[in-house]
Amino acid sequence: MTQAPAARPTLTIGVLAKNEAHRIEACLRSAAFADQLLVIDSGSTDATVARSQAAGAIVVDYPDWQGFGVQRSRLLEHATGDFVFFLDADEIVTPVLQAQIEAAVRSNEAAVWRVCWRMVAYGHELKAYRAGKGPERLFRRDMLSGYTGVVHEEAVFRPGFADAPRHVLRGKLLHHSRETVRGSLEKLTQYAMLGAAKRAALGKRGGVLRGMAGGTAMFLRLYVFRLGFLCGGAGFLYCYFVALEAFFRYAALHYDRASLSSQVGR
């Protein structure tokens, strides 16, 4: 008597979103190979929810924004796949990356996979830019208990899984990081203030000199060593805005310390 083949491991692809109607469809179309498409919405007032549902996603609304870590933890509560891949609304899974994600899921390995980015900023792909390894995005779901951190959040592993093997998915994730100057200014405010609040909670100190040092080091790293200078005006703007975020993070940590809060809306 032959045994039935083992069930194929399943995959949830989850997205955090708020007012992403202009790009959520492209994001979800690229993730349509998942067994479950899941969108955690943060109170969108545009067509994000309707367009996500039309693309086949399950949408759960949590308008009480408490930071990225809390939203990712909520996403995990609704995920049903054996594996979970975290995708941002400004990202698109390329066909090569899709094949590698599917192969990783089939392996059923209790491991963690990082992604590699192809950066797009202000309508131009930064082809010469060395994005390096992106964040950890693919996990077997039983490894995770949640996420921590209001920004640049980190996975919290269940006992026995923190030292799981780490791999890198070499297929690229197309990352539309910054689309407009106005949007970059809004993102600068959000990330600088959230980053300052996170460091204040850890007892760290800020100030203008610390900000200048951090911002200058960040700009040199991105613009020079990661070859942003080869990417024209769009490359300069991208590197400069990231450096400004580092500067204002430390400036706010000193001058706004008494009023810092993780309740900075998206």
Side-chain angles (χ1 to χ4, degrees), residues 8-14 34-40 58 60 74-86 105 139-142:
R8 176 183 63 84
T10 55
L11 171 67
T12 293
I13 294 183
D35 300 282
Q36 180 194 32
L37 273 179
L38 179 60
V39 172
I40 302 298
I58 298 169
V60 184
R74 288 167 166 172
L75 190 155
L76 282 171
E77 293 175 4
H78 294 277
T80 59
D82 299 305
F83 282 76
V84 59
F85 183 87
F86 293 95
V105 171
F139 308 82
R140 209 171 71 184
R141 187 167 56 91
D142 61 1

Side-chain angles (χ1 to χ4, degrees), residues 9-248:
T10 55
L11 171 67
T12 293
I13 294 183
V15 182
L16 304 185
K18 182 178 181 181
N19 293 334
E20 301 284 3
H22 62 296
R23 56 190 177 190
I24 194 68
E25 290 171 299
C27 170
L28 294 176
R29 278 199 303 270
S30 76
F33 62 94
D35 300 282
Q36 180 194 32
L37 273 179
L38 179 60
V39 172
I40 302 298
D41 191 73
S42 302
S44 292
T45 55
D46 63 4
T48 297
V49 171
R51 292 181 181 180
S52 297
Q53 291 171 333
I58 298 169
V59 181
V60 184
D61 187 28
Y62 285 102
D64 59 326
W65 176 257
Q66 298 179 45
F68 288 98
V70 170
Q71 291 296 82
R72 290 205 191 278
S73 296
R74 288 167 166 172
L75 190 155
L76 282 171
E77 293 175 4
H78 294 277
T80 59
D82 299 305
F83 282 76
V84 59
F85 183 87
F86 293 95
L87 183 66
D88 288 346
D90 59 1
E91 296 172 337
I92 293 175
V93 179
T94 59
V96 174
L97 179 59
Q98 173 184 334
Q100 293 180 355
I101 292 172
E102 291 177 319
V105 171
R106 285 195 302 270
S107 77
N108 203 27
E109 182 182 1
V112 178
W113 286 265
R114 287 185 177 274
V115 294
C116 295
W117 276 323
R118 281 169 48 197
M119 303 298 296
V120 180
Y122 311 104
H124 299 272
E125 184 175 349
L126 308 184
K127 293 183 179 180
Y129 181 75
R130 295 177 176 173
K133 292 185 296 185
E136 297 176 343
R137 290 294 187 84
L138 178 63
F139 308 82
R140 209 171 71 184
R141 187 167 56 91
D142 61 1
M143 298 169 57
L144 300 180
S145 63
Y147 267 79
T148 184
V150 294
V151 67
H152 300 138
E153 61 280 7
E154 297 178 351
V156 178
F157 291 92
R158 297 186 188 278
F161 289 114
D163 296 323
R166 262 61 176 179
H167 306 299
V168 178
L169 296 166
R170 297 296 179 183
K172 299 298 178 67
L173 193 61
L174 197 62
H175 185 199
H176 293 266
S177 176
R178 296 164 193 271
E179 295 178 310
T180 64
V181 172
R182 175 172 179 163
S184 297
L185 289 168
E186 293 170 348
K187 188 172 185 177
L188 167 65
T189 301
Q190 180 195 17
Y191 275 74
M193 300 310 292
L194 286 174
K198 181 177 180 178
R199 283 160 179 78
L202 296 172
K204 295 188 176 182
R205 296 164 54 192
V208 169
L209 292 179
R210 284 175 178 263
M212 290 176 64
T216 300
M218 180 64 74
F219 183 78
L220 289 174
R221 181 158 65 96
L222 302 185
Y223 195 65
V224 178
F225 297 109
R226 292 197 176 180
L227 305 183
F229 70 93
L230 295 177
C231 301
F236 175 84
L237 276 175
Y238 173 79
C239 298
Y240 190 60
F241 268 114
V242 177
L244 283 176
E245 180 190 317
F247 169 75
F248 282 112

